[in-house]
Amino acid sequence: LTNCSQTYPSGSSNSQLSGTLNNGLLAYYPFNGNANDESGNGNDGTNNGATLTTDRNGNSNSAYNFDGNDDYIYFDGFNTQSNLTMSLWFNPATNLTVPVNQTCIATFSNWTGNPNSSGYSDFIGNATPHGYSSNNIFAYSEINAGGASVVNTNTSFNQNTWYHIVYKRDGTTKTQIVYVDGVLHDSISYSGNLNVNMTLNRLFIGGASWLPSAPWYNLLFSGTIDDVSIYDRALSNLEIYQLYSN
């Protein structure tokens, strides 16, 4: 693993994404028959039980279904930065109108669970391992095992319905923003500095855990996830809308 992002000229199409949406791309998982990273960075996921299914456009074997019991996709060695954008499509199997303890995606950087660790974690879901929960999807970031901050969508998510969600962390302005279907829903400021020289980095899709290839089973997602893209930069509002409308 090279742990670096790609930069392409405007209008290039190394992946299914186009134009500037390829710039700063750490990983891209369109789930076209497998959990491979199509960004060119080689961050291929390891699938643990998730099954291929039909995507939101009716294409077979082009999204992954997670049963909420023991399915997840993970990658060890992932490298995130103080600037981060995570984007995905999801279709919940249950109404997310009450806290149901599910996580769509999570990253962990130098995280050991020790309150004195210098790592951080990012979640998109409606519950965290530390007990925070909501009746709608939120993005949650925890820095140095204590500096937690939450951006909330304040939106109900109905079962068997596709939604696009984006979480953006801007390390320059120290803001966190969450978008639903291309529209900004919440923005907050955070304090604390991120240590970007991380060595223990993990990505979970359909679940969450700082342990290597071992999820917290009370946080697994039930439903379908597709078109996951992760960037080492804060995308613009226009780019986020392009991800939604692409």
Side-chain angles (χ1 to χ4, degrees):
L1 173 65
T2 59
N3 277 332
C4 62
S5 63
Q6 300 282 355
T7 299
Y8 302 99
S10 178
S12 66
S13 55
N14 178 74
S15 66
Q16 294 176 346
L17 302 172
S18 61
T20 62
L21 291 178
N22 277 302
N23 295 343
L25 187 61
L26 286 171
Y28 174 52
Y29 304 98
F31 294 152
N32 291 331
N34 53 53
N36 290 347
D37 168 25
E38 296 192 12
S39 70
N41 294 321
N43 297 325
D44 296 342
T46 297
N47 180 21
N48 187 85
T51 56
L52 287 165
T53 188
T54 303
D55 69 9
R56 64 190 181 282
N57 298 314
N59 301 309
S60 60
N61 297 321
S62 297
Y64 270 108
N65 182 262
F66 300 81
D67 65 6
N69 295 317
D70 54 8
D71 296 351
Y72 57 91
I73 294 171
Y74 75 95
F75 177 79
D76 285 344
F78 204 76
N79 186 14
T80 59
Q81 302 291 328
S82 58
N83 293 318
L84 173 71
T85 302
M86 299 193 296
S87 166
L88 59 86
W89 285 87
F90 75 101
N91 183 345
T94 58
N95 291 328
L96 301 184
T97 55
V98 296
V100 291
N101 298 338
Q102 296 189 17
T103 300
C104 297
I105 189 171
T107 64
F108 297 83
S109 298
N110 212 40
W111 197 257
T112 65
N114 186 324
N116 296 317
S117 68
S118 60
Y120 61 92
S121 59
D122 296 286
F123 295 77
I124 295 177
N126 78 339
T128 75
H130 301 296
Y132 184 90
S133 61
S134 173
N135 62 354
N136 52 72
I137 293 289
F138 59 82
Y140 171 97
S141 180
E142 186 169 12
I143 302 170
N144 298 333
S149 55
V150 178
V151 278
N152 208 316
T153 62
N154 297 307
T155 300
S156 297
F157 295 90
N158 299 318
Q159 66 184 98
N160 302 321
T161 303
W162 282 100
Y163 300 94
H164 183 245
I165 189 162
V166 174
Y167 165 63
K168 178 171 72 174
R169 184 181 66 233
D170 190 323
T172 302
T173 62
K174 291 191 175 181
T175 56
Q176 296 167 262
I177 306 174
V178 65
Y179 302 76
V180 178
D181 293 342
V183 178
L184 190 156
H185 276 236
D186 193 18
S187 175
I188 64 170
S189 299
Y190 69 89
S191 60
N193 295 312
L194 300 181
N195 176 8
V196 298
N197 297 314
M198 302 299 183
T199 57
L200 300 173
N201 305 298
R202 299 185 178 99
L203 167 72
F204 268 81
I205 301 173
S209 180
W210 59 269
L211 297 169
S213 64
W216 289 308
Y217 284 94
N218 62 330
L219 292 176
L220 293 173
F221 178 74
S222 178
T224 306
I225 295 176
D226 195 18
D227 286 331
V228 178
S229 54
I230 305 172
Y231 295 83
D232 65 1
R233 66 186 181 92
L235 269 61
S236 69
N237 290 345
L238 176 60
E239 288 173 318
I240 289 170
Y241 186 79
Q242 288 173 337
L243 281 174
Y244 163 66
S245 61
N246 189 4

